[in-house]
């Protein structure tokens, strides 16, 4: 069985079943600006150096000081590792163009330099960034491939684990089109734009001797480093609880057979003004009053706006926010890519440990990506919350909820679906709700009228 080493990037270690292959070669490739260098530095710093395992980083483009400064932007202190003899950075200046080659050009000189660098700190891990620069003096492509194979085989035979970066070619994984064939693991990084929003994706297209997630996964590079959110599990193995969470309205709890089942996902579907935010906020207030912790992710209102607006229905979110039981996070969907929204949810859950999460409205994410990407992100969010036993309330515009294709797939992960509607006549606004689905719960199927006033939400039966 192939031996792996953990990269320290939790999501990546999960999708690769334990990390990267040890004593073998991994290729990281992609276009300009996709994060190849920072990705490799993060693997070294968080996966190896933090455990006291020395490594060598050979750069053919950036000087050591530039690498140290760039790594600091994602929270990596390379200078500290250098001072402790855990990291050696060497900058190799490539041959100048126009030089005349005499005799056969080989990589023996590079091999000797690598040997010296590895021995200087007792390292068994090597990063090469980027390998295309090595081949400037080669005229014969067969010689290039032969020399690289010879170098990598030598490193592997001596117990060195190698990670190298390559540049994306025109319609190919790499520029020359052979590096991926001689590598044991190949990782492709992408940095594209959807509309005006940048989005990053990672894919492991090859991993000899090991199973791995074959799909594209969103990832993020920011001041906290590299974060990867793998696809959800194909198995529906979420735990199921019989405990209930109150909605804050006794009549709605009764209609739901005792309230919302803890750890389930509730979708509130309705147009503007139907009361989605009010109902969600009422549940948050009730949960916090009972000592629960809640997270409210708002894509349309700032925390102060949300608190002030729900006050009109007698709902107090200010108190739980001030005492720390409630965290309100607000961001415009177009401010960041879908992977950033996904990671923000992950980080907020990790830091706050909520029992209840509200995403209002989740349909706003449609402005941050294409239809399929938004759907996949939504599914990842829901599955992540269910896996952690967190009760989720999602608000969605009806145009999204009534999409037949999505409704069919959503039905496998949604536990409760409540449709809200409103009509305006000479007497005012008439609001109704109907529980379309409540998995595993004996619930009220009738169309129920409700009113929103200073005293909160009041429900009454309506057979019409």
């Amino acid at each position: 069985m192939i031996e792996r080493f953990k990269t320290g990037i939790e999501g990546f270690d999960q999708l690769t079943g334990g990390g990267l292959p040890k004593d073998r070669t991994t290729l990281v490739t992609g276009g300009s600006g996709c994060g190849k260098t920072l990705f490799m530095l993060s693997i070294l710093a968080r996966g190896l150096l933090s455990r006291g395992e020395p490594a060598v980083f050979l750069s053919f483009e950036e000087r050591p000081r530039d690498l140290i400064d760039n790594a600091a932007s994602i929270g990596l202190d390379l200078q500290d590792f250098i001072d402790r003899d855990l990291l050696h950075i060497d900058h190799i200046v490539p041959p100048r163009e126009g030089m005349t080659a005499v005799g056969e050009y080989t990589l023996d000189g590079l091999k000797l330099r690598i040997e010296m660098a590895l021995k200087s700190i007792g390292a068994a891990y090597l990063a090469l960034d980027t390998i295309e620069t090595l081949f400037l003096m080669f005229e014969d492509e067969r010689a290039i491939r032969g020399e690289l194979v010879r170098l990598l085989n030598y490193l592997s035979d001596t117990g060195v684990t190698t990670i190298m970066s390559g540049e994306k070619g025109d319609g190919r994984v790499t520029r020359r089109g052979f590096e991926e064939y001689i590598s044991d693991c190949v990782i492709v990084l992408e940095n594209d734009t959807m509309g005006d929003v940048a989005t990053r994706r990672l894919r492991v297209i090859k991993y000899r001797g090991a199973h791995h997630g074959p799909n594209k996964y969103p990832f993020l590079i920011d001041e906290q480093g590299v974060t990867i959110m793998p696809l959800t599990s194909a198995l529906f193995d979420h735990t199921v609880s019989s405990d209930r969470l109150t909605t804050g309205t006794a009549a709605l709890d009764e209609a739901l057979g005792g309230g919302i089942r803890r750890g389930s996902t509730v979708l509130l579907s309705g147009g503007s003004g139907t009361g989605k935010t009010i109902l969600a906020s009422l549940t948050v207030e009730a949960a916090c009053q009972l000592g629960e912790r809640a997270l409210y992710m708002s894509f349309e209102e700032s925390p102060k706006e949300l608190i002030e607006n729900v006050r009109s229905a007698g709902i107090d979110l200010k108190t739980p926010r001030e005492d720390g039981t409630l965290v309100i996070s607000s961001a415009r969907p177009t401010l960041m890519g879908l992977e950033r929204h996904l990671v923000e949810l992950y980080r907020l859950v990790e830091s706050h440990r909520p029992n209840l999460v509200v995403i209002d409205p989740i349909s706003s994410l449609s402005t941050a990506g294409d239809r399929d990407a938004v759907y996949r992100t939504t599914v990842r969010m829901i599955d992540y919350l269910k896996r952690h036993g967190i009760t989720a309330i999602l608000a969605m515009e009806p145009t999204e909820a009534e999409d037949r294709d999505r409704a069919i797939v959503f039905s496998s992960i949604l536990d409760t679906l409540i449709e809200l509607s409103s009509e305006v006549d000479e007497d005012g606004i008439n609001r109704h709700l109907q529980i379309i689905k409540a998995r595993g719960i004996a619930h009220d199927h009738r169309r129920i009228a409700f009113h929103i006033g200073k005293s909160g939400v009041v429900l009454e039966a309506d057979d019409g």
Side-chain angles (χ1 to χ4, degrees), residues 272-273 421-432:
S272 178
S421 61
S422 64
E423 301 87 26
V424 180
D425 57 24
E426 62 274 10
D427 296 324
I429 300 177
N430 300 309
R431 293 185 174 91
H432 294 82

Side-chain angles (χ1 to χ4, degrees), residues 39-105:
F39 182 71
M40 292 197 303
L41 286 173
S42 185
I43 289 174
L44 296 184
R46 300 192 186 282
L48 298 171
L49 307 180
S50 61
R51 297 196 299 266
E53 300 181 63
V56 170
F57 192 99
L58 261 61
S59 172
F60 302 101
E61 294 182 345
E62 296 181 84
R63 294 172 299 179
R65 175 46 54 188
D66 295 330
L67 288 170
I68 292 170
D69 292 342
N70 294 341
S73 68
I74 62 170
L76 302 179
D77 187 358
L78 298 186
Q79 188 61 55
D80 176 62
F81 293 123
I82 294 172
D83 294 341
R84 292 190 285 139
D85 289 330
L86 289 172
L87 175 64
H88 176 81
I89 300 179
D90 199 354
H91 179 223
I92 299 180
V93 181
R96 297 190 302 272
E97 293 185 10
M99 292 182 63
T100 302
V102 178
E104 185 176 339
Y105 189 78

Side-chain angles (χ1 to χ4, degrees), residues 191-243:
N191 185 19
D192 299 320
T193 55
M194 295 181 181
D196 296 327
V197 180
T199 182
R200 296 181 186 270
R201 296 287 186 273
L202 173 149
R203 185 187 177 203
V204 180
I205 65 172
K206 174 184 177 181
Y207 201 138
R208 285 180 181 148
H211 295 290
H212 63 278
N215 302 308
K216 291 185 179 181
Y217 303 89
F219 78 98
L220 179 68
I221 299 178
D222 64 4
E223 63 281 357
Q224 297 186 47
V226 177
T227 305
I228 298 174
M229 289 294 290
L231 278 172
T232 55
S233 170
L235 301 175
F236 292 105
D237 54 356
H238 312 119
T239 58
V240 178
S241 173
S242 59
D243 293 340

Side-chain angles (χ1 to χ4, degrees), residues 109 322 458:
E322 290 177 346
V458 179

Side-chain angles (χ1 to χ4, degrees), residues 319-330:
T319 300
R321 188 185 182 213
E322 290 177 346
D323 65 25
T325 56
L326 170 63
V327 168
I328 302 176
S329 171
S330 297

Side-chain angles (χ1 to χ4, degrees), residues 240-432:
V240 178
S241 173
S242 59
D243 293 340
R244 299 300 180 88
L245 191 68
T246 179
T247 64
T249 302
L252 184 54
D253 287 347
E254 184 179 352
L256 286 167
I260 301 171
R261 192 167 62 192
R262 188 178 295 276
S264 66
T265 302
V266 179
L267 179 67
L268 300 177
S269 170
S272 178
T274 54
K276 301 185 298 296
T277 299
I278 294 296
L279 287 175
S281 298
L282 191 62
T283 305
V284 168
E285 180 192 36
C288 292
Q289 288 177 346
L290 294 173
E292 307 275 354
R293 300 177 66 83
L295 166 65
Y296 201 118
M297 297 186 71
S298 174
F299 292 128
E300 293 185 343
E301 299 172 284
S302 70
K304 290 183 178 179
E305 287 176 322
L306 176 64
I307 291 171
E308 186 62 29
N309 291 339
V310 299
R311 272 186 55 197
S312 63
I315 300 171
D316 176 20
L317 296 185
K318 182 179 180 180
T319 300
R321 188 185 182 213
E322 290 177 346
D323 65 25
T325 56
L326 170 63
V327 168
I328 302 176
S329 171
S330 297
R332 290 293 182 190
T334 53
L335 184 63
M336 59 188 79
L338 291 171
E339 74 281 353
R340 180 62 183 260
H341 289 295
L342 189 62
V343 170
E344 282 298 307
L345 171 66
Y346 172 82
R347 288 176 177 170
L348 286 168
V349 168
E350 286 294 306
S351 62
H352 186 57
R353 302 290 180 181
N355 309 102
L356 171 67
V357 170
V358 174
I359 305 178
D360 179 23
I362 199 164
S363 48
S364 289
L365 292 178
S366 61
T367 60
D370 62 35
R371 179 182 183 277
D372 291 336
V374 171
Y375 168 71
R376 289 193 298 269
T377 299
T378 303
V379 171
R380 290 184 181 111
M381 286 181 168
I382 295 173
D383 191 77
Y384 174 76
L385 295 173
K386 289 179 75 71
R387 282 186 161 279
H388 286 75
I390 298 171
T391 307
I393 298 179
L394 315 178
M396 182 176 283
E397 294 295 322
T399 53
E400 300 291 333
E402 291 170 4
D403 186 316
R404 288 179 58 85
D405 293 337
R406 293 190 190 190
I408 292 172
V409 184
F410 266 130
S411 64
S412 64
I413 53 178
L414 287 176
D415 300 291
T416 302
L417 171 58
I418 301 175
E419 287 191 354
L420 308 178
S421 61
S422 64
E423 301 87 26
V424 180
D425 57 24
E426 62 274 10
D427 296 324
I429 300 177
N430 300 309
R431 293 185 174 91
H432 294 82

